[in-house]
């Protein structure tokens, strides 16, 4: 009987993950590539339990979605943000692996190169 209980627990876990992924899918931007969405949905699902909206509202989910966009925009588009905000999203994304990220040159780096 232990095997049956374990199988049921695994099925329940898989079902929960599937429901969370289906829930997150509604937040995909039409302009996101598969690679961008895969990374951002991992970010969202990782933190979803901590950012669920309380019954009285509160916008916690909106905050998580915004943080996920900040992270994705920084990684994939080279956008820059306040240092504290970037530190927060980079910490939240610790361990999420994204292959073949684009390389960006900042304005400061260009200015230093031109002064040499």
């Amino acid at each position: 009987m232990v095997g049956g209980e374990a199988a049921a627990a695994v099925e329940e876990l898989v079902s929960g993950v599937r429901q969370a992924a289906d829930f997150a899918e509604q937040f995909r931007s039409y302009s996101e590539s598969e690679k961008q969405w895969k990374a951002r949905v991992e970010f969202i699902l990782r933190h979803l339990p901590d950012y669920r909206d309380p019954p009285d509202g509160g916008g916690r989910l909106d905050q998580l979605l915004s943080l996920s966009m900040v992270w994705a925009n920084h990684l994939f588009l080279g956008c820059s943000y306040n240092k504290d905000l970037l530190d927060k999203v980079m910490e939240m994304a610790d361990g999420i692996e994204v292959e073949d990220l684009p390389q960006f040159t900042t304005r400061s780096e260009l200015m230093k190169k031109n002064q040499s």
Side-chain angles (χ1 to χ4, degrees):
M1 191 60 159
V2 172
E5 291 173 6
V10 168
E11 180 58 36
E12 185 177 330
L13 179 63
V14 168
S15 175
V17 169
R18 197 173 298 125
Q19 286 176 350
D22 290 346
F23 172 76
E25 186 67 34
Q26 68 183 311
F27 303 114
R28 182 176 182 176
S29 171
Y30 69 90
S31 63
E32 284 180 294
S33 69
E34 278 299 316
K35 180 166 60 170
Q36 290 169 334
W37 175 241
K38 183 181 173 195
R40 197 164 76 86
V41 79
E42 186 174 343
F43 184 102
I44 292 167
L45 292 177
R46 176 186 286 190
H47 298 287
L48 190 59
D50 298 329
Y51 282 85
R52 290 223 184 250
D53 283 340
D56 62 348
R60 301 269 301 147
L61 180 58
D62 286 343
Q63 183 181 20
L64 174 60
L65 296 173
S66 297
L67 292 168
S68 74
M69 287 303 296
V70 165
W71 178 68
N73 288 346
H74 175 70
L75 246 52
F76 295 106
L77 302 176
C79 297
S80 59
Y81 297 90
N82 170 289
K83 181 184 178 336
D84 291 337
L85 178 59
L86 275 179
D87 288 347
K88 177 179 179 139
V89 297
M90 296 310 282
E91 181 180 324
M92 291 173 75
D94 188 42
I96 298 175
E97 303 223 2
V98 182
E99 295 180 7
D100 302 322
L101 284 174
Q103 298 295 314
F104 298 100
T105 304
T106 65
R107 181 180 177 280
S108 298
E109 292 169 340
L110 287 174
M111 296 301 286
K112 286 179 187 176
K113 191 182 244 185
N114 287 338
Q115 291 175 353
S116 303

